[in-house]
């Protein structure tokens, strides 16, 4: 099993790591039994056209190099995007941005896109409750 | 960057003296040990010299040592050879939940051929439950197969006590001694061992060569059929170069190296345990292999720790699910009752006689920062 240079870079020097205090949405996913837990925090803002965007995003991950790299990558892909576009980020987008993942680690990219979706859903749910 | 190799339970660097001894057997003394001419005799003599060294090191006779391609073959042969020799009159095999995959997967395959297998439990340090062993032996039992020094957590089983039980109950005892050979005394007579798996590449010898000790008089079906090499028990032209290296590796092994490794092992353990929320897996002291350290770091994942260590030039291994081909965490860590998170948080550090004090210091200086960074990144801490 060999990781791409890009995966190693994102693993060793992850971007947007940590948590957001008073986040607008949190997506918690994974299961420590299989070795991966990913939490994504988002802060939602608006762009000039008053559309909702991901203003800030951070992650915390318990997992292997691939899990940390996919977490770091999805935060970069999502940051600044409109919510409706961020929801459309797929595992393939993450895969491509990382210049590939070993096949046995493909589930890590699923985890990252699912965690982001959950964070956005969490925000939307809270918004509708208000 | 300086490379620090802390994965000696996986394989070891060939000792220069071993390499030197082997070289002329590639080109000058390249003969086939079965040939009757000068070249053949030369090869045969070298092979018998190695056999003598290896036999003596475990208090066996020369004629009880058979060369193989390594630990996996020896373990396969011991179990399958005895099973097919005794089946269907007897069909029961006893092994442990902490044996190597090449024993466990052989047993699983033998179950498809009619074998009944008991997998013994171990305690929290990895020791076999002797009472359970006693109670598991039936009149159908052919063999008890127990790993001597555990490859993951370093537990050294009490072979003498196990051997005594097997002798009393009149069943055969096989041990996989790949990790313990030359590090822990093995005496086939004192410990009542009937079959012992040995290999070269864990003891600074070459890969692709191993041996099995089979006590005189034991009936076992051959594994490889062919030209009748190794007294008709293991056909195939002998790997003379490898065998010569194997013999030399056993010859140069010595107690001083063991004592040195024990000191460095304990320095590593003491240093690592200074970090908060770390547990040592396996026993402390003389019941642990002199070169093995296995630790779990709460809330961070083993492969990630290994990746950061490698960035600093340090090579280790992990029992984490993330690093395995099957995404399943170590069966050994599970057997000593670690939770899945603890198993996934483990790394194994295995040193050798070449490990230096400076390497240990560098490791102990490097590790805390990595643990801190990954814990900051972890949602579990």
């Amino acid at each position: 099993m060999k990781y791409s240079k890009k995966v190693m870079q994102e693993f060793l020097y992850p971007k947007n790591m940590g948590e957001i205090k008073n986040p607008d949405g949190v997506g918690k996913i994974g299961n420590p039994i299989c070795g991966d837990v990913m939490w994504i925090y988002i802060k939602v803002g608006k762009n000039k056209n008053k559309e909702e965007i991901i203003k800030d995003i951070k992650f915390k991950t318990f997992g292997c190099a691939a899990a940390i790299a996919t977490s770091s990558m999805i935060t970069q892909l999502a940051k600044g995007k409109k919510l409706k576009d961020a929801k459309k980020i797929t595992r393939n987008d993450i895969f491509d941005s990382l210049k590939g993942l070993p096949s046995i680690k493909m589930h890590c990219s699923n985890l990252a896109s699912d965690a982001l979706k959950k964070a956005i859903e969490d925000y939307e749910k809270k918004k509708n409750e208000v | 960057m300086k490379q620090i190799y802390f994965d000696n339970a996986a394989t070891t660097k060939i000792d220069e003296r071993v390499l030197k001894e082997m070289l002329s057997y590639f080109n000058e003394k390249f003969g086939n040990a079965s040939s009757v001419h000068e070249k053949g005799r030369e090869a045969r003599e070298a092979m018998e010299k190695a056999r003598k060294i290896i036999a003596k090191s475990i208090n066996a006779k020369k004629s009880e040592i058979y060369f193989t391609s390594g630990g996996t073959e020896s373990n396969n042969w011991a179990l399958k050879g005895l099973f097919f020799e005794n089946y269907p009159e007897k069909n029961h095999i006893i092994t442990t939940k902490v044996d190597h995959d090449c024993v466990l997967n052989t047993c699983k395959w033998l179950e498809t051929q009619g074998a009944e297998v008991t997998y013994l439990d171990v305690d929290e340090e990895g020791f076999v439950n002797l009472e359970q062993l006693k109670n598991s032996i039936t009149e159908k039992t052919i063999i008890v197969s127990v790993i001597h020094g555990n490859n993951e957590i370093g537990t050294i089983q009490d072979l003498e006590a196990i051997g005594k039980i097997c002798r009393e109950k009149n069943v055969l005892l096989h041990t996989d001694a790949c990790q313990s050979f030359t590090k822990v005394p093995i005496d086939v007579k004192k410990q009542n061992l009937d079959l012992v798996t040995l290999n070269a590449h864990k003891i600074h010898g070459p890969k692709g060569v191993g041996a099995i000790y089979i006590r005189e008089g034991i009936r076992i079906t051959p594994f490889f059929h062919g030209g009748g090499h190794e007294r008709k028990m293991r056909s195939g032209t002998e790997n003379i170069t490898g065998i010569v290296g194997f013999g030399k590796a056993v010859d140069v092994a010595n107690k001083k190296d063991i004592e040195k490794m024990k000191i460095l092992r304990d320095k590593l353990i003491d240093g690592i345990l200074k970090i908060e929320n770390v547990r040592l897996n396996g026993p402390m002291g003389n019941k642990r292999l002199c070169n093995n350290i296995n630790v779990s770091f709460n809330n961070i994942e083993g492969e990630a720790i290994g990746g950061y260590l490698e960035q600093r030039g340090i090579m280790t291994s992990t029992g984490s699910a993330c690093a395995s081909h099957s995404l399943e965490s170590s069966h050994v860590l599970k057997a000593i009752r670690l939770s899945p998170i603890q198993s996934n948080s483990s790394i194994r550090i295995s040193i050798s006689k070449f490990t230096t004090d400076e390497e240990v210091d560098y490791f102990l200086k490097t590790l805390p920062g990595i643990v801190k960074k990954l814990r900051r990144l972890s949602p579990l801490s």
Side-chain angles (χ1 to χ4, degrees):
Chain A
M1 188 176 64
K2 196 178 180 307
Y3 290 122
S4 70
K5 255 189 175 166
K6 184 70 186 158
V7 171
M8 286 311 288
Q9 189 193 327
E10 294 297 326
F11 162 56
L12 294 169
Y13 309 102
K15 309 270 171 17
N16 305 313
M17 60 181 254
E19 61 189 292
I20 295 175
K21 277 194 183 141
N22 307 315
D24 293 326
V26 184
K28 295 183 182 181
I29 203 150
N31 177 345
I33 291 169
C34 73
D36 293 306
V37 180
M38 222 177 260
W39 291 6
I40 286 188
Y41 306 81
I42 56 168
K43 199 89 190 161
V44 176
K46 284 191 175 151
N47 64 11
K48 282 182 230 151
N49 303 329
K50 307 272 183 214
E51 291 165 309
E52 288 185 315
I53 60 160
I54 295 190
K55 205 171 122 200
D56 197 10
I57 178 165
K58 283 202 155 58
F59 79 91
K60 279 195 155 192
T61 291
F62 167 85
C64 61
I68 291 172
T70 53
S71 311
S72 171
M73 187 45 73
I74 195 148
T75 61
Q76 293 168 70
L77 290 174
K79 202 166 185 174
K81 272 210 170 69
K82 293 176 207 164
L83 285 193
K84 58 174 184 167
D85 293 336
K87 268 197 250 182
K88 287 183 202 152
I89 298 172
T90 65
R91 68 180 205 166
N92 288 334
D93 298 327
I94 300 168
F95 181 87
D96 292 343
S97 309
L98 287 172
K99 310 263 187 289
L101 275 171
S103 55
I104 198 163
K105 301 288 187 178
M106 275 305 287
H107 69 281
C108 293
S109 51
N110 273 347
L111 222 56
S113 57
D114 289 351
L116 175 63
K117 274 190 202 98
K118 264 195 144 177
I120 296 171
E121 280 163 19
D122 181 51
Y123 161 72
E124 286 171 342
K125 203 176 130 208
K126 281 186 203 154
K127 198 173 90 173
N128 291 337
E129 276 166 7
V130 175
Chain B
M1 184 171 46
K2 189 175 155 48
Q3 285 197 332
I4 297 181
Y5 185 74
F6 276 178
D7 198 14
N8 288 282
T11 194
T12 57
K13 175 172 124 175
I14 290 208
D15 187 298
E16 291 297 327
R17 291 165 291 181
V18 171
L19 182 62
K20 207 176 145 211
E21 187 90 358
M22 289 170 72
L23 286 175
S24 63
Y25 289 89
F26 281 105
N27 49 7
E28 285 165 43
K29 306 178 207 159
F30 58 85
N32 184 324
S34 301
S35 304
V36 291
H37 49 61
E38 170 68 24
K39 285 283 171 215
R41 277 198 301 277
E42 205 170 54
R44 175 155 291 272
E45 276 163 22
M47 175 167 80
E48 294 314 317
K49 186 181 159 198
R51 199 189 305 277
K52 197 173 163 188
I53 295 168
I54 293 162
K56 196 175 160 224
S57 75
I58 59 170
N59 196 19
K61 286 185 208 156
K62 247 182 75 181
S63 57
E64 294 172 316
I65 302 293
Y66 301 86
F67 288 112
T68 67
S69 63
T72 294
E73 184 192 327
S74 295
N75 284 336
N76 267 267
W77 183 14
L79 295 164
K80 292 175 184 169
L82 285 172
F83 176 76
F84 288 112
E85 186 71 35
N86 290 284
Y87 186 74
E89 288 75 31
K90 291 182 176 185
N91 73 335
H92 184 224
I93 296 169
I94 299 174
T95 184
T96 79
K97 288 184 177 166
V98 294
D99 260 73
H100 192 273
D101 272 337
C102 68
V103 165
L104 296 178
N105 287 334
T106 297
C107 286
K108 277 184 198 133
W109 181 77
L110 283 171
E111 284 174 329
T112 71
Q113 304 299 305
E116 299 278 338
V117 183
T118 302
Y119 301 90
L120 296 175
D121 294 313
V122 295
D123 67 17
E124 277 158 15
E125 290 187 326
F127 293 103
V128 168
N129 182 330
L130 297 178
E131 275 309 303
Q132 193 192 8
L133 167 63
K134 242 182 244 175
N135 297 333
S136 302
I137 298 172
T138 71
E139 56 195 22
K140 289 271 190 190
T141 306
I142 304 164
I143 186 164
V144 174
S145 182
V146 175
I147 188 166
H148 187 203
N150 190 273
N151 54 308
E152 291 192 38
I153 55 171
T155 310
I156 301 167
Q157 302 294 341
D158 185 351
L159 283 185
E160 208 171 329
I162 296 170
K164 208 168 154 230
I165 294 170
C166 293
R167 189 51 55 94
E168 276 164 14
K169 300 263 187 178
N170 204 22
V171 296
L172 298 175
L173 172 59
H174 165 249
T175 189
D176 169 5
C178 287
Q179 295 287 344
S180 60
F181 186 38
T182 71
K183 297 186 182 75
V184 187
I186 298 173
D187 182 324
V188 296
K189 296 203 174 76
K190 196 171 151 204
Q191 293 163 324
N192 277 323
L193 303 173
D194 297 299
L195 299 97
V196 180
T197 287
L198 306 170
N199 85 349
H201 79 98
K202 310 284 192 197
I203 59 167
H204 306 283
K207 293 170 188 61
V209 59
I212 186 166
Y213 154 81
I214 303 176
R215 186 190 291 280
E216 199 168 52
I218 289 175
R219 293 177 57 84
I220 183 167
T221 303
F223 197 46
F224 285 11
H225 300 91
H229 305 76
E230 295 291 275
R231 300 169 306 275
K232 299 200 172 73
M233 293 302 284
R234 199 275 188 184
S235 288
T237 299
E238 297 89 346
N239 171 7
I240 298 298
T241 320
I243 289 167
V244 165
F246 189 8
K248 188 68 181 176
V250 175
D251 196 32
V252 301
N254 69 73
K255 275 192 186 140
K256 253 167 59 189
D257 290 334
I258 310 295
E259 292 312 311
K260 182 192 144 188
M261 281 188 268
K262 277 184 187 165
I263 291 168
L264 291 179
R265 173 198 67 189
D266 291 340
K267 182 173 174 179
L268 276 164
I269 291 176
D270 292 346
I272 296 168
L273 291 181
K274 281 192 185 128
I275 300 173
E276 272 178 33
N277 295 318
V278 180
R279 68 162 272 162
L280 177 71
N281 301 317
M284 294 256 211
N286 279 334
K287 288 182 171 180
R288 183 179 200 102
L289 286 174
C290 59
N291 67 335
N292 171 290
I293 295 142
N294 187 311
V295 274
S296 293
F297 298 87
N298 278 10
N299 301 332
I300 54 179
E301 206 275 333
E303 196 212 301
I305 303 169
Y308 274 89
L309 284 169
E310 191 176 351
Q311 190 205 13
R312 308 292 192 85
I314 302 164
M315 283 165 268
T316 57
S317 82
T318 173
S320 144
C322 272
S324 73
H325 298 292
S326 56
L327 295 182
E328 271 174 35
S329 54
S330 143
H331 66 273
V332 173
L333 298 179
K334 191 176 165 194
I336 61 166
R337 300 169 191 65
L338 255 60
S339 70
I341 299 185
Q342 286 172 319
S343 297
N344 287 330
S345 306
S346 73
I347 63 166
R348 180 185 70 185
I349 300 138
S350 46
I351 59 174
S352 81
K353 64 180 179 184
F354 296 123
T355 301
T356 65
D357 213 31
E358 290 72 39
E359 288 177 335
V360 167
D361 287 340
Y362 175 74
F363 177 85
L364 289 175
K365 214 176 79 189
T366 308
L367 181 68
I370 291 172
V371 172
K372 202 171 156 192
K373 175 164 182 183
L374 285 168
R375 279 188 176 155
R376 266 210 322 267
L377 200 66
S378 171
L380 307 178
S381 39

